[in-house]
Amino acid sequence: MATAAARTVLCSSQLHLKLLSFPFYLSLSPKLPISSNPNLLNKNPVFSSPLPPVRCLQYSTQQASTTRTHEAIRRPNVVDILEERGLLESLTSDNLRCPPSTSNSTLKVYCGFDPTAESLHLGNLLGIIVLSWFQRCGHKAVALIGGATARIGDPSGKSLERPELDIDTLEKNTLGITNTLTRIFNMDMNLNNPIVVMNNYDWWKEFRLLDFLKQVGRYARVGTMIAKESVKKRLESEQGMSYTEFTYQLLQGYDFLYLFKNEGVNVQIGGSDQWGNITAGTELIRKILQPDDGAEAYGLTFPLLLKSDGIKFGKSEDGAIWLSPSFLSPYKFYQYFFSVPDADVIRFLKILTFLDLEEIDELEREMKRPGYVPNTAQRKLAEEVTRFVHGEDGLSEALKATEALRPGAETKLDWKTIEGIAEDVPSCSLAYDQVLNLSLVDLSVSSGLLESKSAARRLLKQGGLYLNNSRVDGENKRIEPEDIVDGKVLLLSAGKKNKVIVRIS
């Protein structure tokens, strides 16, 4: 296999979104039959001849030249890897879970990302990680941007209809998500094959209503669509469900058919709430294409990312945990994972990192031993996930800020380090003349760090008030020119967590 660094190919013919006849079609789209019962799907294979079993192969240069006489070194099947790590929920066919010794076929797998925001968030990370696992086992990966489907909004797992997005917002979101995917996959230089990024608007924009009804609509069955769990819940709710949302499963199903027919994509992955949408695609492929050459379309779902208490992981008090550094700094991203409770950290190491399971098991044993340093496992989790999402530079920035912003740290602060956390820490602006010679007690109150001078004096006596990470012991401390970092900022800390940045204007 080639050793060239992974690169990303953007196959979308254009990012500019046009209305054309698409909205008219959306309001009239027909329905497709869908079987959401995995047992039925397994007992009644979608196609007459299954895809040959899959294995992951790794050849050395010498082995590649002697494959006729020597057997290849095998790695575990990608499905086995996902299952071992807790990343497998359901399969449409057990043919995807095959002994690694019977074939070396390469799969082409895709995961969809609707551009409902300008950045992906932590909930999308599992899809990216599963795609990456397929890549690491030598398979081809496709990321599909839902430039068309985002106009409707996936009702799966939603109690209310998504707000409609205008064309400019969709275009901006599409570009932002494409950049996020490109950045993450490009940073993994160990991969030999590039990810392909596509946009489903490229084939939906010219799809006319009558053509859709003729080519797809005749295969839709309303009863099957209504029976889907996500539809039933919405229909039983007070808000109900619009016809537009009801047709979403048809669009996603046709996406799979289009990619299967035109791009050779034979696996779709998604969260467990996507099971019905995924099986819509496999059923559509079976009915319309009726492949008889042994090809089979597969669906695979992974569990939603939940904490041990059942609450969805990925939300904070300030909102979503974004994957784009322009929405959430690498420092704050790192801190979020560093604060994961002990009850969740081992499971998250298996799900969210590519560490060997043996190393993770050893960390789990260490946590139970006397003398275990608290948060050692959390630090490893934070480092691995931050490195995957933000690269070595992002991790370095997060580690530097974490160390430098620790009260009492010996690391010398600079303006760039402080500005690196500016979005995550309260700040205020004061004139140079207002700050110079001002007592630290008064500055602690005027900056909003503490509510009163008496609280500041009390914290001083307790040794919990810091200026630029240095503990201040004397109540008479006043701000001097050399205290102002690079002549631009001051960092005040009350204890370990409460901080305020004072910008000098």
Side-chain angles (χ1 to χ4, degrees):
M1 300 178 72
T3 57
R7 57 187 177 84
T8 301
V9 180
L10 178 59
C11 290
S12 175
S13 62
Q14 59 179 333
L15 292 176
H16 183 64
L17 306 177
K18 300 178 182 178
L19 285 172
L20 297 175
S21 61
F22 194 68
F24 175 63
Y25 145 68
L26 292 182
S27 66
L28 298 175
S29 296
K31 310 116 193 129
L32 287 172
I34 297 173
S35 174
S36 60
N37 188 330
N39 294 322
L40 291 178
L41 284 167
N42 290 337
K43 292 178 181 178
N44 300 282
V46 175
F47 304 121
S48 58
S49 179
L51 191 72
V54 180
R55 68 178 176 183
C56 302
L57 298 176
Q58 183 177 17
Y59 295 87
S60 67
T61 303
Q62 182 179 2
Q63 288 167 331
S65 64
T66 58
T67 52
R68 293 184 180 180
T69 57
H70 293 84
E71 188 175 6
I73 298 176
R74 297 168 191 160
R75 290 182 293 172
N77 180 278
V78 63
V79 178
D80 294 337
I81 293 174
L82 297 177
E83 187 168 38
E84 271 192 308
R85 304 184 77 95
L87 282 168
L88 179 63
E89 180 86 5
S90 302
L91 293 172
T92 57
S93 171
D94 275 342
N95 289 337
L96 192 58
R97 177 209 300 277
C98 303
S101 59
T102 56
S103 174
N104 62 355
S105 299
T106 299
L107 297 168
K108 198 167 185 179
V109 56
Y110 93 92
C111 186
F113 303 90
D114 275 356
T116 53
E118 198 173 347
S119 170
L120 297 174
H121 53 76
L122 197 55
N124 303 121
L125 185 58
L126 278 184
I128 295 173
I129 287 173
V130 173
L131 271 183
S132 186
W133 272 118
F134 273 91
Q135 273 192 318
R136 289 161 188 256
C137 285
H139 304 296
K140 305 295 183 182
V142 174
L144 181 64
I145 307 297
T149 42
R151 294 166 179 256
I152 292 179
D154 186 0
S156 301
K158 301 296 179 183
S159 58
L160 295 173
E161 189 165 0
R162 292 179 185 270
E164 185 177 354
L165 300 176
D166 59 62
I167 302 303
D168 290 339
T169 300
L170 280 172
E171 185 180 60
K172 181 175 67 173
N173 292 353
T174 297
L175 182 60
I177 288 177
T178 299
N179 289 339
T180 298
L181 289 167
T182 301
R183 175 178 53 81
I184 291 175
F185 279 96
N186 270 352
M187 286 186 299
D188 196 337
M189 305 306 289
N190 294 321
L191 298 178
N192 298 324
N193 55 336
I195 190 170
V196 176
V197 181
M198 304 181 73
N199 187 340
N200 66 4
Y201 190 74
D202 288 341
W203 51 85
W204 281 113
K205 64 187 176 186
E206 302 292 351
F207 211 152
R208 303 292 175 172
L209 171 63
L210 293 179
D211 292 334
F212 184 82
L213 291 174
K214 180 180 179 181
Q215 298 174 28
V216 180
R218 67 176 65 184
Y219 300 100
R221 294 295 178 268
V222 175
T224 304
M225 296 177 68
I226 291 178
K228 294 165 69 67
E229 192 64 27
S230 60
V231 174
K232 284 170 61 178
K233 287 183 178 180
R234 287 290 297 276
L235 290 178
E236 293 169 357
S237 69
E238 184 178 343
Q239 292 78 16
M241 171 183 264
S242 72
Y243 180 75
T244 302
E245 282 187 298
F246 186 59
T247 63
Y248 185 94
Q249 56 187 283
L250 305 180
L251 305 189
Q252 186 168 328
Y254 182 79
D255 283 342
F256 197 1
L257 182 146
Y258 180 93
L259 292 171
F260 183 90
K261 179 181 178 181
N262 298 283
E263 302 293 335
V265 173
N266 52 2
V267 182
Q268 181 183 176
I269 65 170
S272 57
D273 58 349
Q274 293 297 305
W275 178 257
N277 293 336
I278 291 173
T279 54
T282 57
E283 185 72 3
L284 192 58
I285 290 168
R286 179 184 69 83
K287 289 193 171 186
I288 294 180
L289 299 183
Q290 300 180 353
D292 57 3
D293 57 355
E296 184 173 356
Y298 299 101
L300 181 152
T301 61
F302 44 82
L304 298 179
L305 194 57
L306 303 176
K307 293 188 288 188
S308 56
D309 57 8
I311 298 175
K312 183 177 289 187
F313 183 68
K315 298 285 186 180
S316 70
E317 294 179 357
D318 300 322
I321 303 301
W322 302 106
L323 304 187
S324 170
S326 59
F327 281 74
L328 188 74
S329 71
Y331 164 75
K332 194 162 188 178
F333 185 86
Y334 176 94
Q335 290 298 320
Y336 183 77
F337 285 95
F338 190 78
S339 64
V340 165
D342 286 349
D344 293 317
V345 67
I346 295 300
R347 183 166 55 90
F348 288 165
L349 279 166
K350 294 177 181 179
I351 291 174
L352 298 174
T353 79
F354 300 92
L355 291 173
D356 289 338
L357 290 179
E358 292 80 3
E359 183 176 352
I360 297 173
D361 291 341
E362 178 58 28
L363 274 171
E364 185 173 21
R365 287 190 290 269
E366 283 185 21
M367 292 178 68
K368 300 174 182 178
R369 292 170 184 154
Y372 169 73
V373 178
N375 294 323
T376 298
Q378 282 85 345
R379 181 176 294 105
K380 189 65 174 178
L381 173 67
E383 289 177 359
E384 292 297 319
V385 180
T386 304
R387 181 186 290 110
F388 179 69
V389 173
H390 294 291
E392 291 291 348
D393 289 344
L395 175 59
S396 177
E397 175 187 328
L399 292 175
K400 182 178 179 181
T402 298
E403 174 60 24
L405 297 175
R406 179 173 57 86
E410 297 180 0
T411 306
K412 180 176 174 58
L413 285 175
D414 56 42
W415 169 76
K416 185 178 180 181
T417 299
I418 295 177
E419 281 297 317
I421 64 155
E423 294 182 1
D424 309 320
V425 174
S427 64
C428 67
S429 295
L430 295 174
Y432 183 84
D433 293 341
Q434 288 180 277
V435 173
L436 196 63
N437 293 322
L438 185 66
S439 73
L440 183 60
V441 170
D442 289 335
L443 182 59
S444 298
V445 176
S446 60
S447 65
L449 178 68
L450 296 168
E451 294 182 355
S452 65
K453 293 182 181 180
S454 59
R457 293 189 182 98
R458 187 162 55 249
L459 193 61
L460 267 170
K461 292 179 180 178
Q462 296 171 351
L465 191 58
Y466 295 81
L467 173 62
N468 299 331
N469 280 349
S470 297
R471 178 182 291 148
V472 178
D473 298 318
E475 186 178 327
N476 297 325
K477 169 63 182 175
R478 292 182 177 274
I479 304 302
E480 303 173 56
E482 54 267 27
D483 293 324
I484 302 175
V485 179
D486 295 338
K488 298 179 179 181
V489 291
L490 291 165
L491 178 65
L492 303 181
S493 304
K496 293 183 177 181
K497 295 185 178 181
N498 297 325
K499 304 178 189 297
V500 167
I501 294 174
V502 180
R503 289 190 174 91
I504 307 303
S505 58

